[in-house]
Amino acid sequence: MSGHYARGLDVPGAVPSPPSSVIAEPPSPTLSHASLKFGTTLSSTSSSAGDDTELDQETEQDSIHVSQSSDHDQPIDNSSSSSASIIDSHEKNVAQPAEEDRVPSAFVIPRKEILTKDDLELFHASPTYASLFEFLEALNESVVGVVTTADCYQSEVVNGMLETLDLVNDVAEQYPPESGHESRFGNPAFRKFYDQVGLSAPEWMEKFVEPKEAVPEVTKYFVESWGNRKRIDYGTGHEASFLAWLYCFHRLRLIKQEDFKAVVIKVFFKYIEVMRNLQFTYWLEPAGSHGVWGLDDYHFLPFLFGAAQLRGHKYIRPKSIHDNDVVSEFSKDYMYLSCVKFINSVKTASLRWHSPMLDDISAVKTWEKVNSGMIKMYKAEVFGKLPIMQHFMFGSLLPFKGLSDTRVLQEDEEEAGVEGHTHVHAFGQEFPTCCGMKIPSAIAAAAAANASGERTAPGGSSSGARRLPFD
């Protein structure tokens, strides 16, 4: 990679940002979770990557040829002042950074901008979408072959992030789960935790966010990263808010490329550890249809980064996730295996039964293909899903303006809809079962089984415990 980050792979359901002089074509429909076959997607896209490269080269050559032809068609001006003026103008244009890369002069509280499928397609064609995924792919490349426990450079800003995540854990200790709450759904004490984080977060951000005017905007993404207060749930949309929080520091130039390794293996992994604590403490419900857009009911990105960590590993293969000894031994070093260990700790039977997508992925031959497929899948199954992106927020650091009525977009989620849901469902996308249907936590089910003595070892079976219906 040189200069800017390497562009991502061609992804179903997402369109990279076009040049300003070209009208963007609408993206092709995203793949549904049920129809997305991981191995098939990888094999079909690997051959097309070379075709896309050749096409890009041909297009670039055609553009150069047209540009040169246009120059020859223009009358020649021998005036030195005219030539100097053209050169000065060209240098000024080259020197100007892209609008999405500039530090904003004014900051705003992030707000929702996506309501309809048209809004989502417009976002997919925006510079912000392209820049956000350039950032994600740069983070991904920074941890190739790097273990989670590796020592690395940590800037003051990275240390500030880590200290802030520790403070979130401290708040959780101040608000233990309420006793007498026997339901397998989320514990109401989570709302007290959430409120306290919202009150304390601005003060936490003040310590390492510059300029100070950006604190309210950055704080909004941070608070959104911990789940939904009303529904007491958590999913990949909240995880995406944490990615947006990290991206804010990149846009503010508070973290640079040399920080990316620490951002992933220290900051992001710490965030996952804090979220695991919250999921166990408050029995957070999986947002959406029981993990339909996640790989372990809650998360996606640790699998993506974890696959990058394992790229080129001599011994551990994708199929090694079925070996409990390998998972147990190396879970502390690789996020992917850490997530598999978590799944095994809260669900009975085998991965083939309760995590069919992970089982499909384990048949892929190399981690390189798994990693590239994860990026494609994240674009299609998270940032390509309207029910998720309707809750994603935009401000000055992630600028985007949709076409929908802002009065509808900003409707108070706490007062409207079933269990706080205000999103609509686009024609052509599957109707998720999240609306009007509360999804119990697998963690809560495991805890209940333990309490009644029905819990068995991971991978075993239970004659008394009643299994939850998994997607």
Side-chain angles (χ1 to χ4, degrees), residues 306-327:
Q309 290 180 291
L310 285 161
R311 276 165 53 181
H313 199 285
K314 292 182 179 180
Y315 308 110
I316 300 177
R317 299 288 183 262
K319 66 181 180 181
S320 299
I321 66 172
H322 298 289
D323 188 326
N324 288 334
D325 291 335
V326 172
V327 171

Side-chain angles (χ1 to χ4, degrees), residues 323-343:
D323 188 326
N324 288 334
D325 291 335
V326 172
V327 171
S328 178
E329 178 70 21
F330 295 99
S331 60
K332 65 182 183 300
D333 293 321
Y334 300 102
M335 280 185 244
Y336 200 102
L337 300 182
S338 176
C339 290
V340 172
K341 183 179 180 180
F342 166 78
I343 295 172

Side-chain angles (χ1 to χ4, degrees), residues 10 17 21 56 120 144 166 176 179 223 225 266 288 322 329-330 361 377 397 409 411 436 439 448 467:
D10 187 21
S17 175
S21 61
D56 291 343
L120 183 59
V144 172
D166 285 332
S179 59
V223 175
S225 301
K266 301 302 180 185
H322 298 289
E329 178 70 21
F330 295 99
I361 294 170
M377 191 176 169
L397 297 170
L409 286 163
E411 184 178 8
I439 306 297
R467 293 191 179 98

Side-chain angles (χ1 to χ4, degrees), residues 367-411:
W367 288 111
E368 286 78 8
K369 287 188 175 182
V370 172
N371 190 216
S372 62
M374 285 286 178
I375 295 174
K376 295 173 184 290
M377 191 176 169
Y378 189 62
K379 289 181 176 181
E381 298 300 300
V382 178
F383 274 76
K385 295 302 181 187
L386 185 60
I388 294 177
M389 297 312 295
Q390 283 180 329
H391 301 286
F392 196 75
M393 296 189 175
F394 302 90
S396 66
L397 297 170
L398 280 85
F400 172 72
K401 177 62 179 174
L403 302 173
S404 298
D405 189 338
T406 56
R407 291 173 299 177
V408 178
L409 286 163
Q410 302 310 314
E411 184 178 8

Side-chain angles (χ1 to χ4, degrees), residues 211-467:
K212 299 306 179 188
E213 291 79 7
V215 166
E217 182 168 350
V218 175
T219 299
K220 182 66 174 178
Y221 289 112
F222 183 78
V223 175
E224 290 289 320
S225 301
W226 304 108
N228 183 276
R229 181 188 184 280
K230 174 73 175 182
R231 299 188 299 272
I232 316 181
D233 67 9
Y234 176 90
T236 50
H238 304 108
E239 182 185 68
S241 290
F242 190 79
L243 174 65
W245 183 67
L246 296 175
Y247 179 75
C248 287
F249 287 89
H250 167 62
R251 282 294 317 278
L252 292 170
R253 300 174 185 171
L254 296 175
I255 57 173
K256 301 179 175 62
Q257 196 155 357
E258 58 265 28
D259 298 310
F260 287 177
K261 185 187 298 183
V263 166
V264 177
I265 66 172
K266 301 302 180 185
V267 177
F268 180 78
F269 188 66
K270 180 69 175 179
Y271 167 70
I272 295 299
E273 289 182 325
V274 175
M275 277 312 313
R276 294 300 191 206
N277 180 38
L278 299 181
Q279 289 154 13
F280 275 100
T281 301
Y282 300 115
W283 293 0
L284 300 183
E285 302 166 29
S289 180
H290 207 62
V292 68
W293 295 299
L295 292 173
D296 68 353
D297 289 355
Y298 299 108
H299 294 286
F300 194 108
L301 287 178
F303 292 94
L304 189 154
F305 293 137
Q309 290 180 291
L310 285 161
R311 276 165 53 181
H313 199 285
K314 292 182 179 180
Y315 308 110
I316 300 177
R317 299 288 183 262
K319 66 181 180 181
S320 299
I321 66 172
H322 298 289
D323 188 326
N324 288 334
D325 291 335
V326 172
V327 171
S328 178
E329 178 70 21
F330 295 99
S331 60
K332 65 182 183 300
D333 293 321
Y334 300 102
M335 280 185 244
Y336 200 102
L337 300 182
S338 176
C339 290
V340 172
K341 183 179 180 180
F342 166 78
I343 295 172
N344 289 337
S345 72
V346 299
K347 296 183 180 181
T348 59
S350 69
L351 286 171
R352 292 181 177 89
W353 185 74
H354 55 63
S355 302
M357 181 60 73
L358 286 177
D359 183 55
D360 287 346
I361 294 170
S362 70
V364 179
K365 298 299 182 184
T366 67
W367 288 111
E368 286 78 8
K369 287 188 175 182
V370 172
N371 190 216
S372 62
M374 285 286 178
I375 295 174
K376 295 173 184 290
M377 191 176 169
Y378 189 62
K379 289 181 176 181
E381 298 300 300
V382 178
F383 274 76
K385 295 302 181 187
L386 185 60
I388 294 177
M389 297 312 295
Q390 283 180 329
H391 301 286
F392 196 75
M393 296 189 175
F394 302 90
S396 66
L397 297 170
L398 280 85
F400 172 72
K401 177 62 179 174
L403 302 173
S404 298
D405 189 338
T406 56
R407 291 173 299 177
V408 178
L409 286 163
Q410 302 310 314
E411 184 178 8
D412 186 3
E413 189 179 65
E414 294 296 317
E415 301 297 332
V418 179
E419 290 301 322
H421 280 56
T422 58
H423 63 245
V424 298
H425 306 290
F427 178 78
Q429 286 191 301
E430 69 274 14
F431 189 94
T433 57
C434 54
C435 294
M437 178 180 175
K438 289 169 70 67
I439 306 297
S441 165
I443 296 173
N450 277 329
S452 61
E454 296 173 338
R455 179 68 172 161
T456 60
S461 61
S462 170
S463 59
R466 184 175 180 178
R467 293 191 179 98

Side-chain angles (χ1 to χ4, degrees), residues 61-230:
Q61 291 172 356
D62 291 342
S63 300
I64 295 173
H65 176 71
V66 171
S67 176
Q68 291 173 343
S69 300
S70 300
D71 290 343
H72 289 306
D73 292 339
Q74 298 297 326
I76 298 175
D77 187 351
N78 292 323
S79 168
S80 59
S81 61
S82 176
S83 299
S85 175
I86 293 173
I87 293 173
D88 288 344
S89 176
H90 175 71
E91 288 179 347
K92 288 179 180 178
N93 289 335
V94 171
Q96 292 295 327
E99 183 176 352
E100 66 273 14
D101 292 331
R102 299 175 191 155
V103 176
S105 58
F107 300 91
V108 297
I109 301 296
R111 53 188 287 174
K112 299 172 186 176
E113 290 288 350
I114 295 175
L115 180 65
T116 67
K117 190 175 180 181
D118 290 338
D119 293 328
L120 183 59
E121 291 177 351
L122 185 63
F123 172 55
H124 287 166
S126 69
T128 294
Y129 178 86
S131 182
L132 180 61
F133 273 92
E134 285 178 356
F135 174 67
L136 174 63
E137 291 177 27
L139 293 178
N140 179 75
E141 291 300 316
S142 72
V143 294
V144 172
V146 179
V147 296
T148 308
T149 53
D151 292 328
C152 62
Y153 166 72
Q154 294 180 206
S155 66
E156 291 186 6
V157 171
V158 168
N159 287 333
M161 291 176 169
L162 293 171
E163 290 172 5
T164 300
L165 294 175
D166 285 332
L167 291 173
V168 174
N169 257 340
D170 292 342
V171 173
E173 291 181 4
Q174 295 173 22
Y175 298 97
E178 295 180 4
S179 59
H181 185 75
E182 312 233 341
S183 171
R184 291 184 179 184
F185 300 103
N187 193 288
F190 173 76
R191 297 189 179 110
K192 298 177 182 178
F193 157 83
Y194 189 93
D195 291 342
Q196 187 58 54
V197 169
L199 290 172
S200 302
E203 181 182 348
W204 297 341
M205 299 299 117
E206 286 273 358
K207 297 177 181 177
F208 55 98
V209 172
E210 294 289 347
K212 299 306 179 188
E213 291 79 7
V215 166
E217 182 168 350
V218 175
T219 299
K220 182 66 174 178
Y221 289 112
F222 183 78
V223 175
E224 290 289 320
S225 301
W226 304 108
N228 183 276
R229 181 188 184 280
K230 174 73 175 182

